[in-house]
Amino acid sequence: MLHKSLFLKTLFLLSFLSFSNVIAQRPSTQPVRNTFTGNYSSEGDINQKGILTFELTNTGKKIEGVATYKTFDGQISTGVLSVNGYTALGKAFIRFRDQRGNIVADGVLSFNSNQMMIFKQTTRSSRVPKTSVLKKSFGDNSPQPPTAPKKFSGKYSTTGDANGSNFTIEMTENLGKISGTANYNAGYGQNNSGVLSVLGNVEGTRAYVKFLDQRGNMVAEGSLFFNSSNEISFTQNSNSVLLPMTAKLNKRQY
């Protein structure tokens, strides 16, 4: 009787261990966080000579997608590059290949404290930037993070100055980034800047901006701040004749 009881206990223990092992080996039903999935662009990064874009899919530890890089002066335009890699320790280790399958560059992706994606090249290729800060693009159906009030968004002008000059800025603020266009006509046949690109960052109550010509060359830089809800002041931090040293611009109503 004792042997029979011991046998039954042993059989029960083996059955329990076998069942536990099966449960442990079942695939996890917890969703995998696809951290790097999405579309990203470096547009608005005022420290760059061009725009880097990614369209990535992150499944488990696998990274796949495409990328492009084009400089403002047009000297570099990669076309569509394939991107493949893997994730580890919160980073993505990726490789770029051209349409013939040739290796173009390697790099690492990560996120900073502001949830911006950081790209760092680990090779020495001139076809992609050494570093870049990229912002995620959200579709209409994607949940978006809270955004700061778009204080600087709008069209501003000095139209009506007694000296006949006219300085206009049309810009959009999104997630602390400034992008837009500007034009300055000094009046009475003097300098006309033509259409300039405006890129910058918002820090506190000020916007720090750079002005680029149509070839992507920086022609001036300065800062903007509000005098009132409908008036901003511009102060140039360079010494360019293409823009005024200071100006007060009124917000236009569309």
Side-chain angles (χ1 to χ4, degrees):
M1 188 70 180
L2 180 62
H3 291 293
K4 184 177 181 180
S5 176
L6 181 61
F7 173 76
L8 291 174
K9 288 181 179 180
T10 303
L11 182 62
F12 174 78
L13 180 61
L14 290 174
S15 299
F16 176 78
L17 291 174
S18 177
F19 177 75
S20 299
N21 189 47
V22 169
I23 293 296
Q25 292 182 14
R26 288 177 60 186
S28 172
T29 58
Q30 294 295 321
V32 177
R33 186 182 178 188
N34 299 326
T35 307
F36 292 92
T37 294
N39 298 333
Y40 301 84
S41 172
S42 67
E43 185 174 1
D45 186 349
I46 63 175
N47 298 314
Q48 296 301 311
K49 297 179 180 179
I51 295 177
L52 175 66
T53 67
F54 285 99
E55 184 175 339
L56 301 174
T57 300
N58 176 193
T59 305
K61 293 186 177 182
K62 187 177 181 181
I63 291 281
E64 291 182 316
V66 293
T68 65
Y69 179 61
K70 185 175 182 179
T71 55
F72 295 123
D73 59 14
Q75 293 187 9
I76 298 175
S77 181
T78 62
V80 178
L81 303 175
S82 66
V83 178
N84 295 91
Y86 64 94
T87 62
L89 301 175
K91 297 182 178 181
F93 299 85
I94 58 172
R95 171 163 288 177
F96 301 84
R97 294 181 184 270
D98 62 23
Q99 295 182 6
R100 294 183 177 181
N102 300 313
I103 297 173
V104 173
D106 294 338
V108 179
L109 300 172
S110 61
F111 288 95
N112 65 14
S113 58
N114 295 321
Q115 294 304 302
M116 305 289 279
M117 191 170 76
I118 309 299
F119 167 73
K120 292 184 179 181
Q121 187 185 161
T122 54
T123 47
R124 295 184 177 182
S125 173
S126 61
R127 297 180 65 186
V128 295
K130 295 296 183 184
T131 62
S132 191
V133 179
L134 300 100
K135 181 174 61 178
K136 189 172 186 178
S137 301
F138 292 89
D140 293 339
N141 298 321
S142 301
Q144 299 191 25
T147 59
K150 299 177 177 61
K151 293 183 179 179
F152 287 95
S153 295
K155 190 169 186 177
Y156 302 84
S157 175
T158 60
T159 301
D161 280 5
N163 62 5
S165 65
N166 182 21
F167 183 30
T168 62
I169 302 178
E170 185 170 0
M171 56 189 164
T172 300
E173 177 189 343
N174 187 27
L175 296 175
K177 297 288 186 179
I178 293 285
S179 61
T181 58
N183 171 261
Y184 178 58
N185 186 342
Y188 304 119
Q190 299 184 58
N191 289 331
N192 188 323
S193 69
V195 178
L196 302 175
S197 297
V198 180
L199 298 173
N201 299 307
V202 177
E203 296 182 14
T205 58
R206 288 179 178 263
Y208 297 90
V209 294
K210 292 185 178 182
F211 298 83
L212 309 175
D213 63 20
Q214 294 182 5
R215 294 184 176 181
N217 302 311
M218 189 180 78
V219 298
E221 56 185 347
S223 62
L224 301 165
F225 64 91
F226 275 92
N227 297 323
S228 66
S229 59
N230 291 315
E231 183 184 79
I232 60 173
S233 284
F234 167 74
T235 302
Q236 187 182 162
N237 300 331
S238 47
N239 194 29
S240 173
V241 297
L242 292 178
L243 293 177
M245 295 306 296
T246 61
K248 291 184 178 181
L249 302 95
N250 295 309
K251 191 170 187 178
R252 289 185 178 181
Q253 301 299 323
Y254 291 93

